[in-house]
């Protein structure tokens, strides 16, 4: 089935930190589009149980007072989010996030932190159907120039996606979906992949991209750009190296 013809779910998290192994989720959104049903948005406001740093509040606008007054219990919210995502993936539908490595790692870390089954536990042998417009963009358009031009907003602008409320989970999830839709429309070769095949292709593309990034850090980056090799982030989400939030957004 073609990506543009089937139901697809965009998702995003807003958190307390750029490091996905330390971050706590404060808001999350799932946006469903396409297929035979109407568009649907589900959002969560979560009390992370730790203070929200002012610098992250400046990005997403969520304060300690907001989560203390109206935030959902994290274990309950995380289980709901993971259950929906796992059912979607098991149904073979694409799950789209910009810089998926960050959100996937945050979610798995949070699930483990609250003694809940991780996504690997929930999926078993099911091949993930994760779609990352960030990885796809770097594959299909390799020569984008300018610092920060691979971040979410400038990437959206290059694909003709216009939003006004950036850095809410709902808006960023929708932006990821719209970018992916534009990519599949602009690059017909992508239509040759089913969701599982596209995940496998992205795994290879991401590995190549990370290898190139590490080479750049070793050979060309200045100290101000983090040129030491130990500046390169290493870790794991399903077969793809995770990134800190600031690397793409």
């Amino acid at each position: 089935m073609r990506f543009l013809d089937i139901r697809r779910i965009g998702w995003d998290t807003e958190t307390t930190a750029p490091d996905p192994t330390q971050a706590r989720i404060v808001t999350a959104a799932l946006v469903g589009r396409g297929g035979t049903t109407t568009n649907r948005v589900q959002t969560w406001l979560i009390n992370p149980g730790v203070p929200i740093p002012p610098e992250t509040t400046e990005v997403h606008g969520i304060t300690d007072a907001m989560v203390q007054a109206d935030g959902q219990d994290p274990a309950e919210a995380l289980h709901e989010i993971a259950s929906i995502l796992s059912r979607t993936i098991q149904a073979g539908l694409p799950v789209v996030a910009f810089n998926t490595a960050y959100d996937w790692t945050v979610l798995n870390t949070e699930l483990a932190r609250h003694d809940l089954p991780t996504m690997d536990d929930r999926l078993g042998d099911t091949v993930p159907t994760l779609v990352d417009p960030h990885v796809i963009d770097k594959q299909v358009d390799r020569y984008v120039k300018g610092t920060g031009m691979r971040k979410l907003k400038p990437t959206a602008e290059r694909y003709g996606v216009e939003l006004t409320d950036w850095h809410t989970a709902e808006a960023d999830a929708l932006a990821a979906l719209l970018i992916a839709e534009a990519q599949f429309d602009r690059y017909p070769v992508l239509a040759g992949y089913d969701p599982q095949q596209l995940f496998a292709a992205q795994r290879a593309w991401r590995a190549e991209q990370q290898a190139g990034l590490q080479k750049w850090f070793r050979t060309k980056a200045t100290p101000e750009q983090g040129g030491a090799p130990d500046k390169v982030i290493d870790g794991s989400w399903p077969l793809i190296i995770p990134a800190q939030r600031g690397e793409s957004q």
Side-chain angles (χ1 to χ4, degrees):
M1 294 185 292
R2 294 178 66 248
F3 177 87
L4 295 175
D5 295 334
I6 62 176
R7 189 70 169 175
R8 46 202 178 269
I9 306 297
W11 75 298
D12 184 73
T13 63
E14 299 296 331
T15 70
T16 61
D19 183 341
T21 64
Q22 301 298 319
R24 310 293 180 97
I25 298 173
V26 294
T27 63
L30 297 175
V31 178
R33 281 171 57 85
T36 58
T37 57
T38 58
N39 294 352
R40 184 183 181 190
V41 176
Q42 295 173 271
T43 61
W44 290 262
L45 176 66
I46 304 172
N47 187 341
V50 299
I52 302 173
E55 59 269 23
T56 59
T57 294
E58 289 181 5
V59 174
H60 51 58
I62 307 300
T63 66
D64 289 330
M66 293 167 65
V67 297
Q68 289 166 5
D70 299 311
Q72 192 172 350
D73 173 75
E76 178 182 314
L78 291 164
H79 176 66
E80 290 177 359
I81 296 165
S83 296
I84 295 170
L85 287 173
S86 60
R87 289 198 299 269
T88 301
I89 291 170
Q90 287 165 344
L93 302 182
V95 173
V96 183
F98 193 88
N99 190 22
T100 302
Y102 178 86
D103 299 276
W104 190 266
T105 304
V106 169
L107 178 59
N108 268 313
T109 303
E110 281 273 68
L111 290 168
R113 181 178 290 126
H114 292 279
D115 296 320
L116 295 168
T118 66
M119 293 303 296
D120 286 343
D121 295 331
R122 295 166 191 264
L123 293 175
D125 295 330
T126 301
V127 177
T129 54
L130 306 176
V131 176
D132 189 341
H134 181 54
V135 172
I136 293 173
D137 180 57
K138 293 168 75 174
Q139 177 67 22
V140 298
D141 191 358
R142 299 192 178 196
Y143 301 106
V144 173
K145 295 183 178 180
T147 302
M149 293 305 293
R150 295 287 189 182
K151 293 184 179 182
L152 177 59
K153 187 175 180 181
T155 301
E157 291 171 349
R158 283 191 287 108
Y159 285 96
V161 174
E162 297 182 3
L163 294 175
T164 58
D165 51 353
W166 295 100
H167 292 304
T168 66
E170 179 180 340
D172 289 1
L174 177 59
L177 275 173
L178 294 175
I179 293 169
E181 291 169 10
Q183 289 171 330
F184 274 78
D185 184 60
R186 183 177 298 184
Y187 301 104
V189 65
L190 296 173
Y193 298 93
D194 66 26
Q196 290 85 1
Q197 291 170 337
L198 183 60
F199 174 78
Q202 289 173 104
R203 175 180 61 185
W205 298 341
R206 177 76 179 194
E208 180 183 355
Q209 292 163 11
Q210 288 295 313
L213 177 63
Q214 292 181 21
K215 181 178 179 180
W216 181 82
F217 270 94
R218 290 194 305 270
T219 62
K220 295 184 179 181
T222 66
E224 292 76 16
Q225 293 171 320
D230 61 5
K231 297 289 186 178
V232 178
I233 304 303
D234 194 14
S236 63
W237 71 291
L239 306 178
I240 295 183
I241 299 171
Q244 291 193 343
R245 173 68 78 179
E247 289 189 9
S248 66
Q249 296 191 43

